Amino acid sequence: MVRLDRLVNVLGGYGVRLCCCPVPRSAELRGVVLRDAADDRAEVGDVYLAVGAGSVVEAVRAAVVARAVVVLVRGGEELLADAVAVGEAEGVAVVLADPALSWSQLAGVVYGLVLEGRETESGRGPTDLFALADSLAAATGGAVTIEDPLSRVLAYSGPQEEADAARLETIMGRQVPAWVRELFDAAGVRAHLLASDEPLFVAGEPARGLTGRMVVAIRVGRELLGAVWVACPAPLAGARRTALTDGARIVALHLLRLRASADLERQVESEWVIRLLEGTADAATVISQLGLPPGPARVVAVRAHVGDERHAAVLLAFEQATTGFGWSRPGRSALAGNSIYTVLPGEQVGAARDWLVALRAALPENVTTSAGISAVAEPADLPAARQEADECLALHEMRAADTAPPAYDESWDEILLQRLRTAARVGRASARGPVADLRKYDGEHGTDYVATLRAWLEAQGDLAAAGERLGVHGNTVRNRLRKMSGVTALGLDDPAKRVAMTIDLAAMVSETDNR
């Protein structure tokens, strides 16, 4: 949102002049309408861009239909007299732009000012959706909430003294409570929003702290961006209903602008993070560019899916991981393939797990996530940390869904063994040697020699402890070892051979190993 005075002053720096102003220069501008000669649908907005208008008269009259406060016309001095006359007569401010300025340049400035307001000069900041919600509340006479397609709160009007219990719970939780969503779904709200741009009234349930609601879709083209809700005891009519439908169109423009801005910021952030994870000589500089504190950090790898659908869920998770302004988020994220990588500053693994819990809680219930956490790494070591996070992620995907995401410094032994098993599966392990000989002998004679060797090695040569693991007496273990020496050359007195056999056993786990 921006005031007319501010728009005029900024455009003046580009050679644009105000011809007449029969409206207060303090008028607030919240929406922009671009003339479309091929589309007869009615659009409303406070600023009308008269692209391709045949005359000033045509431009001003179209602005009146769009209920605009100001119309922007491109032309020379010859249009000045007509602009003043028709503008004063119709009560619309007329701004005349030099023909040397292209409409794309003018539109860029106007959209930036009106839809981003005071944040334009200082970078991305809090949106003006809250101001829009307040204006809509004043125009409709009821408390307003603006929500996204997942019923998460984007903005709301104030104050809250007269709000019902459901509204208070929605605002406090930043999302519509489950029981309220169930009521609205039963009333067909979701189906209506997907199919219609007309407002819908939903009766309340006073016994459960829910008054009536009027809802209208926020839509751009065919895409549903969310909904505007107004608390009201009865359906809105007349000017209040019109204010709601017009307000939803203005909100759609704001959300579209915010999405474009957020997508650009996500792309830039993602490129910086990927640069860190792939390795760069100026890692400390990149960390500073991302706004992260210097020092140790962890890399978190995340995958998300809904059933067999992989891509939509991971995009939703990435959007959630990058929602909010830089200073309000602990980490920085990138999307690579079907995985999200987030660099989280700090050494505590608990902080990384808390971040994952918060991310999971913000996603729909039908989304399944898996994650892996690297060991602590300095900026220059983040490429190795990414590999650790990937391996922990793979380990988590093999575990039950409700288990905590593994961290490399806690699970390095499991990951090492998994590496060995992977190498064995692709033929990198030896098919000959003591363990292979014993496994073959067990298969042919039904003995338990491989299990006995494993137990003895794990017990570090303690016959009693090995027998306890196997459920036999220690002497039985001694006898088996003596017989096994007749099958193959074990070399149990050689420390290097003991280590090699331990690795071989870990890499080549077989169902016949009786373990």
Side-chain angles (χ1 to χ4, degrees), residues 41 50 63 128 148 154 156 160 162 212 217 265 270 282 358 364 380 438 447 449 473 505:
R41 287 179 295 182
D128 235 1
D148 71 3
L154 300 176
Y156 52 87
Q160 312 300 329
E162 298 180 0
E265 291 195 6
S270 189
D282 57 346
L438 293 178
T447 52
Y449 289 168
H473 194 275
L505 286 167

Side-chain angles (χ1 to χ4, degrees), residues 11-12 54 97 138 155 259 297 312 318-319 359 373 398 432 441 473 481:
L11 289 177
R259 173 184 286 186
F318 178 61
E319 179 181 341
L359 175 65
I373 305 168
M398 292 188 295
R432 302 176 64 180
Y441 192 87
H473 194 275
L481 290 173

Side-chain angles (χ1 to χ4, degrees), residues 2-10 18 20-21 23-29 46-47 69-70 93 95:
V2 69
R3 296 185 186 278
L4 175 59
D5 184 67
R6 170 68 171 157
L7 178 68
V8 170
N9 289 337
V10 172
L18 179 65
C20 68
C21 190
V23 298
R25 290 186 64 144
S26 60
E28 295 180 343
L29 310 177
D46 298 314
V47 183
V69 174
V70 57
V95 180

